[in-house]
Amino acid sequence: MTTAWFGAWGKTAGEPLSGGASSFSAWLAQARPDLLPTADRGAPPAPELAPRATTIVALTVADGVIIAGDRRATMGSMIAQRDIQKVFAADEFSAIGVAGSAGLAVDLVKLFRVELEHYEKIEGAPLSLDGKANRLAAMIRGQLPMALQGFVVVPLLVGWDQSSARGRIFSYDATGGCYEETGHHSIGSGSVFARGALKKLYRPGLTTAKGVTVAVQALFDAADDDSATGGPDLARQIFPVVMAVSEHGVCPVEEAAVAKITNQVVAGRQRRPDGPEAKL
Amino acid sequence: MSQPMFYVSPEQQVKDRADFARAGIARGRSVVVSRHRDGILFVAENPSRSLHKVAELYDRIGFAAVGRYNEFESLRIAGVRHADLRGYAYDRRDVTGRMLANAYAQVLGTIFSAVSEKPYEVELAVAEVGEEPQGDQIFRLAFDGSVADEADFCVMGGSAEAIAAALGQGHDPGLPLAKALRLAWTALSADRPQPIGFDALEVALLDRQRRQPRKFRRLTAAAVADLLQPAAEPSRPKAARPRPQPPQ
């Protein structure tokens, strides 16, 4: 007990002021590497072992930014879970959605959340939104050996930027590349179709309610053409998870509100299955 | 030439070390940790806006300290790391104030009795706000690692006894925030010719009513001044904090 505790304040395990003093994951790698979301790096690739999480969409709106994810996880052609959650609040001003190897992705989100909170507590001030985005990039880069074994995790980060007073979207690749997106973006297996829908439906300055409708429409289109993306499950009442981030912080859009919007979208699709018609 | 060795009895050794630590702590300004209706209130006399004596350890757990800044700051960081590691490895609910108080007691006790190190000149409080008022807990840790479970409040620092006596006269865990803060401020000023200025107070809360899982929040200087305005003045209606609204 005492040894671990001394290590905790850097008395024996190096110096508290060395790099990573305020980074939880850096300290975890030093103190308890067994708890990192990685596996034996010498193991052969076996991506079929893990269920895969699929489509996430994000778009900016007048009050900030919206992020939404479908609820399906698949293993090969089988549905592994119908109501998985892939969109989470990362802290009070940012939210994260993940696609890829589900177990690792959810653990990575958990680690990222502790990372942000840990920094805020140690330093007495939260990270800037760019700081959060860069920190996540470094964590994804740390996962590269896992990605090469087939366990790819790709996040989509959205947040309210206090300094420029607007919502921003950051996308990533498996090597830890971090790219800021303007307007809207989508990741995961159904992202090709979701992006097509977003391109037609998105316009700057949408209200939050309209933004949620656009997100649900895009996820519907993704599920329409990608078997790994789950559409709204009306029989089981399973709807997308949607979060809105504004200057007041992250607010999960209530399930009842998402259900109402989803029902309107589904009703519209019964009249026109391809979705709303875009003006030429 | 080597120093001649003299026999020092263990009693004398412990007494010397305790006197040393007490003298260091007595030089510092004081901190009050007290229960009130909506949680736990931390009030420190601290002219600095950025070198805090009161801090967040975890969702429901706060930390207060007096003494040498570098020593209690390293203890605070160790506490945050310990709590975050526990919460990450197990679950957020598995991090408790009692656990952190025990860990601090171990460390302080080990340092106090290690002959090669000087004892830490610090006194700490670890407080946890419960779901219900009965769940509130305040632990006080002395420089030698001894732990006390305080029922309603604890005072640490230079003139702790005078302040505790003043606080004990009016304290009631059912007090609303403004009254509890006023009482703590009056008590902290007990042995002063002048009351402490509002801007020399560091105030934080473990707020049971906060919606987020993290219950710790600091009060800004303006909020403190607002709460401590003379009671004769009609208090301005407090602006409700904006809350995120789901779209309709």
Side-chain angles (χ1 to χ4, degrees):
Chain A
M1 153 73 231
T2 318
T3 337
W5 181 256
F6 273 109
W9 89 40
K11 193 127 189 159
T12 53
E15 8 0 274
L17 292 181
S18 66
S22 45
S23 165
F24 179 74
S25 57
W27 181 68
L28 191 66
Q30 197 183 6
R32 290 289 303 276
D34 57 307
L35 291 177
L36 284 173
T38 50
D40 178 11
R41 297 187 171 179
E48 69 280 2
L49 282 179
R52 299 178 69 82
T54 44
T55 312
I56 308 287
V57 299
L59 65 148
T60 57
V61 292
D63 289 340
V65 57
I66 284 173
I67 185 165
D70 75 308
R71 306 293 295 273
R72 182 172 289 181
T74 56
M75 281 178 87
S77 60
M78 200 179 77
I79 292 169
Q81 202 180 345
R82 291 177 209 285
D83 60 351
I84 192 172
Q85 187 180 352
K86 301 178 245 182
V87 174
F88 305 87
D91 64 3
E92 284 177 24
F93 286 96
S94 63
I96 183 172
V98 279
S101 205
L104 288 175
V106 170
D107 251 24
L108 198 79
V109 168
K110 195 172 136 190
L111 183 60
F112 183 58
R113 292 167 76 169
V114 180
E115 180 84 15
L116 297 184
E117 186 189 321
H118 189 79
Y119 182 95
E120 190 182 328
K121 287 192 290 197
I122 300 271
E123 297 293 326
L127 272 168
S128 64
L129 185 60
D130 294 280
K132 292 173 196 175
N134 287 331
R135 192 63 213 127
L136 182 59
M139 288 168 68
I140 296 296
R141 191 166 298 125
Q143 295 283 327
L144 187 56
M146 298 295 295
L148 294 175
Q149 288 182 2
F151 300 102
V152 181
V153 177
V154 184
L156 188 61
L157 179 72
V158 302
W160 177 258
D161 187 349
Q162 309 261 20
S163 59
S164 63
R166 66 195 168 100
R168 294 168 69 189
I169 304 172
F170 296 89
S171 73
Y172 294 84
D173 64 32
T175 63
C178 171
Y179 315 95
E180 181 165 6
E181 306 292 342
T182 42
H184 54 82
H185 196 67
S186 174
I187 57 164
S189 61
S191 62
V192 187
F193 312 110
R195 258 182 242 180
L198 284 169
K199 280 182 188 170
K200 298 290 176 287
L201 298 177
Y202 174 83
R203 54 222 65 184
L206 287 170
T207 63
T208 303
K210 287 244 172 76
V212 175
T213 307
V214 171
V216 171
Q217 289 280 13
L219 286 173
F220 196 106
D221 278 326
D224 210 18
D225 289 311
D226 170 39
S227 63
T229 303
D233 191 337
L234 297 179
R236 293 187 182 82
Q237 294 283 296
I238 299 170
F239 301 104
V241 174
V242 189
M243 304 233 175
V245 190
S246 68
E247 62 177 320
H248 305 307
V250 176
C251 176
V253 180
E254 275 174 34
E255 199 178 12
V258 180
K260 193 175 152 203
I261 288 170
T262 307
N263 285 327
Q264 286 165 358
V265 168
V266 172
R269 298 270 172 159
Q270 283 166 351
R271 292 189 296 276
R272 193 173 188 284
D274 292 342
E277 191 179 284
K279 281 184 196 127
L280 281 177
Chain B
M1 201 178 84
S2 63
Q3 285 288 108
M5 296 278 286
F6 294 108
Y7 172 74
V8 182
S9 71
E11 290 85 353
Q12 188 60 41
Q13 220 167 54
V14 168
K15 187 177 173 300
D16 287 351
R17 295 171 76 82
D19 287 346
F20 169 79
R22 271 197 206 99
I25 293 163
R27 278 194 290 274
R29 298 189 170 96
S30 303
V31 176
V32 168
V33 182
S34 72
R35 288 177 60 203
H36 73 287
R37 194 183 58 198
D38 296 331
I40 290 172
L41 173 68
F42 300 86
V43 186
E45 185 188 357
N46 186 359
S48 170
R49 288 261 151 263
S50 49
L51 303 175
H52 297 301
K53 290 183 168 183
V54 172
E56 172 186 16
L57 286 180
Y58 210 64
D59 290 354
R60 304 185 146 269
I61 307 168
F63 170 96
V66 294
R68 281 183 94 87
Y69 179 79
N70 67 318
E71 291 176 353
F72 68 69
E73 177 68 4
S74 70
L75 287 166
R76 178 187 75 87
I77 290 175
V80 169
R81 285 182 170 174
H82 192 67
D84 278 346
L85 178 60
R86 270 296 177 103
Y88 178 73
Y90 301 106
D91 188 80
R92 296 196 79 89
R93 280 169 301 180
D94 298 318
V95 179
T96 61
R98 193 185 59 82
M99 176 199 100
L100 282 161
N102 275 333
Y104 279 128
Q106 293 288 330
V107 173
L108 285 169
T110 309
I111 293 173
F112 182 73
S113 50
V115 181
S116 59
E117 288 187 70
K118 85 165 189 62
Y120 271 21
E121 298 157 71
V122 295
E123 224 175 314
L124 314 179
V126 173
E128 178 171 11
V129 63
E131 300 270 358
E132 301 295 326
Q134 305 89 284
D136 293 352
Q137 280 181 317
I138 302 175
F139 297 100
R140 176 195 182 139
L141 293 126
F143 52 84
D144 59 355
S146 55
V147 195
D149 186 350
E150 304 281 356
D152 283 340
F153 64 85
C154 91
V155 183
M156 306 177 296
S159 15
E161 279 176 19
I163 296 170
L167 194 66
Q169 283 171 6
H171 189 265
D172 175 358
L175 285 179
L177 174 62
K179 285 191 175 158
L181 178 59
R182 169 167 291 276
L183 180 67
W185 170 57
T186 319
L188 278 171
S189 313
D191 61 344
R192 300 294 177 84
Q194 291 285 322
I196 299 169
F198 298 160
D199 53 350
L201 289 179
E202 179 186 352
V203 183
L205 286 177
L206 283 168
D207 184 353
R208 210 191 322 279
Q209 310 298 334
R210 196 163 195 261
R211 277 189 338 145
Q212 282 89 351
R214 292 166 68 184
K215 306 296 180 194
F216 185 89
R217 68 182 172 97
R218 294 185 186 281
L219 295 190
T220 59
V224 171
D226 219 30
L227 285 167
L228 285 178
Q229 289 307 328
E233 242 178 69
S235 57
R236 276 176 282 153
K238 269 185 289 174
R241 276 191 301 155
R243 293 216 161 129
Q245 294 294 327
Q248 299 306 311

